[in-house]
Amino acid sequence: VQLQASGGGLVQAGGSLRLSCTASRGSFSKYAVAWFRQAPGKEREFLSTISSRDDTTYYEDSVKGRFTTSRDSAKNTVYLQMNRLRPEDTAVYYCAASWLWTVEAKNYDYWGQGTQVTVSS
């Protein structure tokens, strides 16, 4: 499966963005899909994941209550709705797919190319 992340951009603090991760060459529904981000000079950080079995979601504490991940199987797309954005949310955001429902990046076999999110203060 190939993943394409999109929807990034420049937004003011307090604003919202919705990222999309669309799969091609395969069905997305078989995979858990996670979102990660990486800011300059920092390690890649787990944000959220949605299970393949029943779309159960799990979030990292710093984004819980602000970010929501969802799946539209008909469109082969997973979304990350980001609200109340902060300057510290500035990073390149990646989606990834795995047979496992896990928070560890090493367990994700398929990665999108990343989309830049910049939050101005």
Side-chain angles (χ1 to χ4, degrees), residues 9 14-15 19 30 47 59 74 76 83 85 87 93 108 116 121:
L19 305 183
K30 301 177 183 179
L47 300 176
Y59 299 92
N76 234 13
N83 299 327
L85 284 161
Y93 284 67
Y108 283 84
Q116 176 70 46
S121 57

Side-chain angles (χ1 to χ4, degrees), residues 34 36 44-46 96-98 102-111:
F36 296 83
R44 190 165 294 189
E45 175 187 18
F46 165 80
S98 172
T102 174
V103 304
E104 296 187 52
K106 67 180 182 181
N107 291 322
Y108 283 84
D109 301 306
Y110 307 99
W111 289 81

Side-chain angles (χ1 to χ4, degrees), residues 5 11 17 100 120:
V11 64
L17 281 174
L100 302 175
S120 62

Side-chain angles (χ1 to χ4, degrees), residues 53-121:
R53 190 172 76 172
D54 55 8
D55 286 350
T56 300
T57 56
Y58 179 81
Y59 299 92
E60 195 273 335
D61 285 346
S62 69
V63 304
K64 197 177 296 182
R66 297 191 300 127
F67 292 9
T68 303
T69 190
S70 60
R71 186 194 300 266
D72 185 334
S73 295
K75 295 183 178 180
N76 234 13
T77 299
V78 169
Y79 301 99
L80 184 67
Q81 177 67 43
M82 305 186 295
N83 299 327
R84 304 199 309 274
L85 284 161
R86 306 165 180 167
E88 53 265 38
D89 293 319
T90 295
V92 177
Y93 284 67
Y94 299 89
C95 61
S98 172
W99 292 106
L100 302 175
W101 191 45
T102 174
V103 304
E104 296 187 52
K106 67 180 182 181
N107 291 322
Y108 283 84
D109 301 306
Y110 307 99
W111 289 81
Q113 84 288 1
T115 184
Q116 176 70 46
V117 172
T118 303
V119 184
S120 62
S121 57

